[in-house]
Amino acid sequence: MLFLVAALLLLGVVLGTVAHAPLGLTVAAAVVIAVWLAVFALRERRGRGASR
């Protein structure tokens, strides 16, 4: 339950920051995060395939 409260608090802080940031900065940050998550997903998929 505490984890959920902390996650919601962090989400509120991040969304509050995004609301005040310029659109270009928000889009750039979103692209960086999306690329980071895609690289992580590819590494996880390859790592799990090699361990089988």
Side-chain angles (χ1 to χ4, degrees):
M1 184 70 180
L2 186 59
F3 176 76
L4 181 61
V5 171
L8 289 173
L9 180 64
L10 183 62
L11 180 65
V13 169
V14 170
L15 288 178
T17 303
V18 169
H20 296 287
L23 182 61
L25 179 65
T26 303
V27 170
V31 168
V32 168
I33 292 170
V35 169
W36 177 34
L37 289 174
V39 168
F40 177 77
L42 287 173
R43 288 181 64 194
E44 283 292 313
R45 184 171 290 207
R46 286 184 182 179
R48 296 206 190 273
S51 65
R52 286 185 181 182

